[in-house]
């Protein structure tokens, strides 16, 4: 007796839900990712075999070519810091200047030149070779920038501002020592040294 053959049907898989999930994940990663900002000076950071991720809410002191540059996270903290430092040097900044400053990734100009720096065309400002924040004994502006950034962070988000030092591996020791001395004057003895990843020996 002949066996009855059941006609096979091709299986259809609905991929709509999977496509939706893929696009949702892609959108999430695009919106939450942080763009990498270029350093104002080329910095060849030293290598390390220890991997500890740098937190997002850290203020970074970038040191290179004997100059110091400062970067603060959070637009509100940046604007408040600029206002506080301006008051110390009797300089008043307009709301437009504060808004411009709050969008800068990092800066390295003396406070006396800040208004002129902010009034520049964005392309000229980007191309400008910034002289760095003064750290000498006569005009130790870096001390005031760090202190006022810490005060602003505590007042606005009720958090102690974390400090990270990003220095060139071939940078002169006196510049690094001077920056650490400025932090220690404010009783900041805990800070991060930013390094790049390398294989352990």
């Amino acid at each position: 007796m002949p066996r009855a053959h059941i006609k096979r049907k091709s299986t259809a898989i609905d991929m709509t839900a999977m496509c939706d999930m893929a696009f949702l994940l892609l959108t999430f990663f695009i919106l939450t990712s942080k763009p990498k900002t270029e350093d104002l000076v080329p910095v060849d950071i030293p290598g390390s075999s220890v991997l500890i991720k740098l937190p997002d809410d850290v203020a970074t002191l970038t040191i290179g070519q004997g100059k110091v540059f400062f970067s603060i996270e959070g637009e509100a903290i940046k604007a408040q810091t600029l206002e506080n430092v301006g008051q110390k040097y009797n300089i008043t900044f307009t709301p437009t200047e504060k808004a411009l400053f709050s969008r800068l990734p990092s800066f390295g100009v003396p406070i006396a030149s800040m208004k002129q720096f902010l009034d520049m065309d964005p392309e000229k400002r980007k191309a400008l070779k910034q002289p760095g924040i003064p750290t000498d004994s006569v005009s130790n502006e870096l001390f005031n920038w760090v202190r006022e950034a810490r005060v602003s962070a505590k007042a606005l988000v009720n958090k102690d501002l974390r400090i990270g030092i990003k220095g060139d591996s071939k940078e002169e020791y006196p510049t690094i020592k001077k920056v650490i001395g400025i932090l220690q004057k404010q009783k900041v003895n805990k800070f991060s040294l930013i390094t790049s990843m390398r294989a352990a020996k």
Side-chain angles (χ1 to χ4, degrees):
M1 189 172 172
R3 189 178 293 175
H5 290 285
I6 300 167
K7 194 175 181 181
R8 291 188 180 180
K9 292 181 181 177
S10 61
T11 54
I13 301 171
D14 188 8
M15 297 292 287
T16 310
M18 194 166 190
C19 289
D20 287 346
M21 182 62 81
F23 279 111
L24 278 170
L25 284 170
L26 184 64
T27 307
F28 171 77
F29 287 123
I30 288 170
L31 293 175
T32 56
S33 64
K34 190 176 167 186
K36 186 179 183 292
T37 54
E38 289 295 319
D39 291 320
L40 295 171
V41 285
V43 177
D44 177 26
I45 54 177
S48 170
S49 59
V50 179
L51 180 63
I52 299 171
K53 193 178 180 297
L54 193 70
D56 292 331
D57 58 343
V58 69
T60 309
L61 293 164
T62 304
I63 304 165
Q65 299 174 0
K67 302 172 186 175
V68 183
F69 304 90
F70 195 31
S71 170
I72 317 163
E73 292 300 323
E75 291 190 6
I77 296 171
K78 281 184 191 177
Q80 187 62 50
T81 303
L82 179 67
E83 187 179 334
N84 293 356
V85 174
Q87 285 173 358
K88 286 200 163 298
Y89 294 94
N90 297 317
I91 301 168
T92 307
F93 293 96
T94 65
T96 309
E97 288 169 336
K98 288 179 196 173
L100 275 168
F101 180 80
S102 67
R103 291 192 294 271
L104 291 177
S106 60
F107 66 95
V109 292
I111 190 69
S113 310
M114 186 60 78
K115 283 180 91 67
Q116 184 185 354
F117 175 69
L118 293 171
D119 290 339
M120 289 174 77
D121 181 78
E123 290 303 314
K124 285 183 181 176
R125 194 189 309 130
K126 196 175 178 182
L128 178 73
K129 200 168 184 182
Q130 298 181 36
I133 300 170
T135 57
D136 51 35
S137 55
V138 178
S139 176
N140 194 347
E141 290 181 17
L142 183 64
F143 180 90
N144 291 320
W145 279 112
V146 172
R147 183 175 60 191
E148 295 308 325
R150 292 175 61 225
V151 168
S152 300
K154 193 71 175 173
L156 293 172
V157 294
N158 198 24
K159 273 187 178 180
D160 291 325
L161 187 69
R162 300 182 193 196
I163 307 288
I165 298 175
K166 187 178 185 179
D168 197 297
S169 58
K170 299 174 184 71
E171 187 59 43
E172 315 88 23
Y173 174 71
T175 311
I176 306 279
K177 185 184 176 190
K178 194 187 291 182
V179 170
I180 292 173
I182 288 168
L183 294 176
Q184 288 180 328
K185 274 183 190 174
Q186 300 181 41
K187 307 272 190 267
V188 179
N189 296 311
K190 191 176 179 182
F191 45 84
S192 305
L193 293 173
I194 300 167
T195 58
S196 61
M197 190 63 187
R198 72 172 180 212
K201 289 183 182 179

